[in-house]
């Protein structure tokens, strides 16, 4: 487990951008943390690092958004999921058919801890916290194949 300090939202986005330069098609990234911890900011950075199309915002009400690769990007789509409203209902997660997306895309699941790990034993869990001084920290907890990879810390 590695911990990264992210003093500003821009630092969270930059960390995500670096991660976006490392991820590969088929990767699963799970994000955990309270409201305002920086989950969506990290995914915005991840999207920038992948070079995908479309504005990245929280998919809370639509549950999942697919961002296709831009012409100047890395050629890998991003599936951005917000599992908050799923409330841990695994059948609803199955209805999203994310295991199919895991073949060709990077799948980032906000509120994914305790819900989406079963999609792949090879995943990166990022626990974000917001401290009293407004500084964010990210704990990177690699699982499976992710343990063998360099992480942007």
């Amino acid at each position: 487990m590695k911990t990264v300090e992210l003093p500003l939202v821009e630092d969270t986005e930059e960390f995500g951008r670096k991660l976006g330069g490392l991820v590969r098609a088929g990767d699963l990234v799970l994000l955990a943390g309270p409201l305002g911890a920086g989950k969506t900011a990290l995914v915005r950075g991840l999207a920038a690092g992948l070079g995908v199309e479309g504005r990245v915002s929280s998919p809370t009400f639509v549950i999942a958004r697919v961002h296709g690769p831009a012409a100047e990007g890395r050629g890998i789509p991003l599936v951005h999921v917000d599992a908050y409203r799923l409330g841990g209902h695994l059948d609803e997660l199955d209805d999203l058919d994310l295991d199919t997306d895991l073949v060709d895309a990077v799948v980032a699941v906000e509120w994914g801890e305790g819900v989406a790990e079963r999609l792949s034993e090879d995943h990166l869990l990022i626990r974000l916290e917001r401290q009293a001084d407004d500084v964010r920290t990210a704990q990177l907890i690699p699982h499976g194949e992710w343990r063998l990879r360099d992480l942007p810390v």
Side-chain angles (χ1 to χ4, degrees), residues 5-94:
E5 192 170 284
L6 305 165
L8 304 169
V9 172
E10 293 82 9
D11 297 316
T12 304
E13 290 177 355
E14 177 61 18
F15 174 77
R17 189 192 63 70
K18 289 178 183 174
L19 183 61
L22 299 173
V23 292
R24 305 181 277 230
D27 281 346
L28 175 63
V29 179
L30 307 179
L31 302 158
L35 288 171
K39 295 179 293 295
T40 302
L42 195 143
V43 176
R44 269 195 309 271
L46 181 67
L50 280 168
V52 298
E53 296 180 320
R55 181 177 160 269
V56 174
S57 60
S58 179
T60 301
F61 297 105
V62 295
I63 301 182
R65 293 184 202 276
V66 178
H67 299 277
E72 68 279 0
R74 295 189 47 216
I76 304 169
L78 171 66
V79 179
H80 182 196
V81 179
D82 187 327
Y84 183 77
R85 288 194 12 211
L86 298 180
H89 299 283
L90 298 179
D91 55 333
E92 290 181 34
L93 184 66
D94 287 340

Side-chain angles (χ1 to χ4, degrees), residues 30-32 83 86-90 93 109-119 123 125 127 143:
L30 307 179
L31 302 158
L86 298 180
H89 299 283
L90 298 179
L93 184 66
V109 183
E110 294 188 33
W111 304 95
E113 186 176 24
V115 178
E117 293 93 339
R118 67 192 199 104
L119 293 171
H123 62 271
L125 171 61
R127 285 191 188 130
H143 294 269

